[in-house]
Amino acid sequence: MPVLSYIHHLFNIDQCHAYIHTLRWKDRSLQCPRCQSQDIDPWGNYHYRPGCKRYWGNGCKRTFNDLTDTLLHQSKRSLAYWILATFLLCLSCSSRRSARELGVHSRTSYRWCWGLRNTAVSYEIDRQVAGTVEADDLYHTAGQKGQAKQGGTKPLGRRPRGRRKKREPGRGHYEKDRPAIIAWVSRQGPVVIQAPKDFTVKTVQKAADIAVHAGSRLYTDSASSYQALKGYLHEFVNHTKKEYARGDVHENRAECLFSLLKPYLRVFRGLSKMNLPGYLGFFQFLRNFRHQTAFEQAEMILCAALDPAIASRARKGEFVRSLDHFGLLQTAII
Ligand SMILES: [Zn+2]
């Protein structure tokens, strides 16, 4: 009886390639990714990548395969790794956990996870909620986690906070390492989660304009920034008077969403405030496709990752950057 360390060693390589081949070409005919010519011939296999079929394009006289110009292009690891990595990401694993389960270096897994998260966010960039929308806000501790660009520790600009930053009373702020998170939850299903720097009237109006369709019915708590919102049919409950629901007016769905978001973010053991929009964007993707299984979600991500146009933007981190309307991302992610 052979002993295996990793589950993906059980995957059949030919089936993985057949699956990826189907995903890549299901919406378009088999063509050269460089010149779009459909005049192609089979061109054998790669000796170092078993199961991967090579094609010859008569248009530009070059070879290509199913992975050319996709997010998986020129990866040294086989498709089994990528399929399992995407599945684990949809089960909300951290990149370090994925690294252990896959048997790759944590830096490899970090790069893959952010590439795949960016790809998933491509489904979310233009999302707006409408109908009856509930809104709520949260302040999450997020500081300067990570390494400096040149390697070594990052200059913090303050004293290290020990194991955990002690919470200050009152609302958080980006500069205080507790940026705000606003969730807009439609009772018709979709959600939008944003990471503004603060919670002023101006910021909340901008966030609402981006996330919520004008004229929607909006239910919030009694925070003054919500009360100043313009362009919506707004009603609120007053938590300080112990009023949590008044007939139809409540924000329990938004609060419930935060009860799911908090344990999701906790998995990462503290996070960088620059990465917050990326994590929130991916969580938004998982919530908006919550009726699908984790593998169906993984299939959606792989499908997008196999589109050269999406893959090249995802590699540069463009999708997460386009979610960042408030300037949290000062540096590129990948
Ligand atoms: Zn060509």
Side-chain angles (χ1 to χ4, degrees):
M1 181 77 189
V3 179
L4 287 174
S5 309
Y6 299 108
I7 191 169
H8 50 294
H9 291 171
L10 287 173
F11 293 7
N12 180 311
I13 292 297
D14 291 323
Q15 270 184 10
C16 288
H17 274 284
Y19 174 66
I20 290 295
H21 180 88
T22 315
L23 277 191
R24 172 142 194 199
W25 305 111
K26 72 181 162 86
D27 297 328
R28 56 192 91 99
S29 50
L30 184 56
Q31 61 183 26
C32 170
R34 297 191 186 91
C35 64
Q36 277 70 48
S37 154
Q38 293 184 11
D39 183 12
I40 54 163
D41 293 312
W43 200 254
N45 286 305
Y46 295 89
H47 64 88
Y48 55 88
R49 193 185 279 159
C52 187
K53 277 199 206 91
R54 204 172 183 186
Y55 310 97
W56 175 263
N58 286 311
C60 56
K61 307 263 183 263
R62 285 178 72 180
T63 64
F64 67 95
N65 59 50
D66 292 336
L67 304 179
T68 302
D69 290 347
T70 68
L71 195 71
L72 285 56
H73 185 41
Q74 291 182 329
S75 173
K76 287 180 194 161
R77 302 290 183 167
S78 70
L79 288 182
Y81 283 79
W82 278 94
I83 292 170
L84 184 59
T86 317
F87 178 58
L88 290 176
L89 194 72
C90 293
L91 289 178
S92 320
C93 281
S94 65
S95 68
R96 278 178 181 268
R97 179 77 192 272
S98 300
R100 282 187 45 162
E101 303 296 341
L102 292 168
V104 299
H105 196 280
S106 58
R107 274 184 225 137
T108 310
S109 148
Y110 184 86
R111 197 176 62 245
W112 290 7
C113 281
W114 274 114
L116 292 168
R117 278 191 196 110
N118 263 284
T119 312
V121 164
S122 70
Y123 288 100
E124 297 297 323
I125 38 176
D126 294 323
R127 192 172 294 277
Q128 262 201 332
V129 289
T132 307
V133 180
E134 299 177 15
D136 201 8
D137 48 302
L138 173 81
Y139 303 89
H140 194 275
T141 307
Q144 298 272 16
K145 188 183 176 185
Q147 281 200 317
K149 272 229 152 104
Q150 66 277 14
T153 48
K154 245 184 198 174
L156 291 172
R158 57 167 170 80
R159 276 178 51 214
R161 63 184 171 218
R163 282 192 65 77
R164 187 153 182 269
K165 186 174 169 97
K166 306 295 175 287
R167 287 195 168 187
E168 289 170 27
R171 296 188 187 282
H173 190 278
Y174 182 81
E175 305 304 332
K176 288 199 257 174
D177 285 353
R178 267 189 97 203
I181 298 172
I182 307 182
W184 309 94
V185 183
S186 166
R187 289 196 184 162
Q188 281 69 40
V191 304
V192 171
I193 309 170
Q194 291 175 321
K197 283 189 170 179
D198 51 31
F199 198 68
T200 57
V201 172
K202 206 176 142 200
T203 312
V204 174
Q205 181 71 51
K206 184 182 172 189
D209 290 341
I210 293 165
V212 187
H213 212 269
S216 302
R217 189 169 287 279
L218 193 62
Y219 295 154
T220 67
D221 57 28
S222 56
S224 55
S225 294
Y226 294 130
Q227 294 189 28
L229 277 175
K230 292 189 182 71
Y232 304 97
L233 305 165
H234 182 219
E235 285 190 76
F236 61 92
V237 287
N238 197 333
H239 287 182
T240 45
K241 287 188 188 158
K242 297 236 159 55
E243 181 191 47
Y244 294 96
R246 191 178 60 244
D248 217 17
V249 185
H250 63 78
E251 46 154 19
N252 293 346
R253 287 186 192 219
E255 284 172 9
C256 175
L257 183 75
F258 283 145
S259 81
L260 295 164
L261 177 65
K262 282 182 207 168
Y264 173 80
L265 291 177
R266 181 171 284 182
V267 168
F268 306 114
R269 308 282 115 186
L271 37 90
S272 160
K273 53 189 174 184
M274 287 164 201
N275 285 343
L276 193 58
Y279 287 118
L280 294 180
F282 186 67
F283 182 75
Q284 184 185 314
F285 165 81
L286 291 181
R287 286 303 297 165
N288 284 328
F289 294 96
R290 62 189 174 276
H291 301 299
Q292 306 198 21
T293 62
F295 190 74
E296 284 165 341
Q297 292 168 344
E299 191 174 84
M300 287 180 68
I301 299 177
L302 285 172
C303 201
L306 290 168
D307 185 325
I310 294 178
S312 72
R313 293 181 66 193
R315 270 177 196 266
K316 294 179 208 146
E318 278 183 25
F319 292 112
V320 166
R321 216 170 295 138
S322 70
L323 281 188
D324 177 35
H325 305 287
F326 304 94
L328 268 72
L329 291 166
Q330 287 152 353
T331 52
I333 288 173
I334 300 174

